[in-house]
């Protein structure tokens, strides 16, 4: 029952639980038990990603690549895929390569700099 999942995810997410924030983001992303709302999905994925939640970081990469919930931005997609790939995720490595083919060398350098800064700041200050 998605409405029960939503209730519990929401309660825990508002208290800062990264797993629940990811779960809530997924419900909004899929439209499971709630109206599909990519901007809300992005909001909750971002909160979890800032706490180091890998699946949320991956989801942010996808959202930036697709322009869902946020403006399409391959540099930020590459940044998140790079961060997740650095933790051994094969899918993130593949998506990083796909995104890189749509980018200039300057964009890739920017993305790598963003990833380095994001990691250095422990997933805080990962945006402009």
């Amino acid at each position: 029952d998605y409405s029960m999942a939503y209730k519990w995810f929401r309660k825990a997410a508002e208290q800062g639980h990264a797993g629940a924030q990811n779960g809530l983001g997924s419900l909004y992303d899929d439209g499971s038990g709630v109206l599909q709302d990519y901007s809300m999905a992005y909001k909750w994925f971002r909160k979890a990603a800032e706490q180091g939640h890998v699946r949320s970081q991956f989801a942010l990469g996808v959202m930036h690549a697709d322009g869902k919930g946020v403006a399409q931005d391959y540099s930020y997609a590459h940044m998140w895929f790079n961060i997740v790939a650095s933790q051994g995720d094969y899918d993130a490595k593949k998506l990083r390569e796909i995104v890189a083919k749509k980018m200039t060398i300057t964009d890739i350098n920017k993305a790598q700099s963003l990833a380095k800064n994001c990691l250095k700041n422990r997933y805080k200050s990962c945006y402009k």
Side-chain angles (χ1 to χ4, degrees), residues 74-75 78 96 99-105 107-109 111:
Y74 293 133
S75 292
H78 190 285
R96 180 185 61 196
V99 168
K101 290 177 183 176
K102 300 176 183 183
M103 300 169 69
T104 66
I105 294 296
D107 292 335
I108 292 170
N109 288 337

Side-chain angles (χ1 to χ4, degrees), residues 14-81:
E14 288 174 347
Q15 294 176 16
H17 188 278
Q21 291 168 340
N22 180 71
L24 196 54
S26 294
L27 292 178
Y28 279 114
D29 192 39
D30 297 337
S32 300
V34 295
L35 288 176
Q36 190 172 46
D37 185 335
Y38 293 125
S39 63
M40 287 296 288
Y42 183 84
K43 169 189 169 182
W44 289 108
F45 284 142
R46 185 168 171 179
K47 286 179 180 287
E50 289 175 349
Q51 294 184 65
H53 196 278
V54 176
R55 296 319 307 159
S56 288
Q57 293 170 343
F58 184 89
L60 289 177
V62 172
M63 294 185 90
H64 277 287
D66 294 343
K68 289 185 176 175
V70 65
Q72 187 177 50
D73 189 320
Y74 293 133
S75 292
Y76 284 106
H78 190 285
M79 175 193 80
W80 284 116
F81 291 144

Side-chain angles (χ1 to χ4, degrees), residues 80-92:
W80 284 116
F81 291 144
N82 201 18
I83 288 168
V84 176
S86 73
Q87 297 173 59
D89 188 286
Y90 178 74
D91 292 332

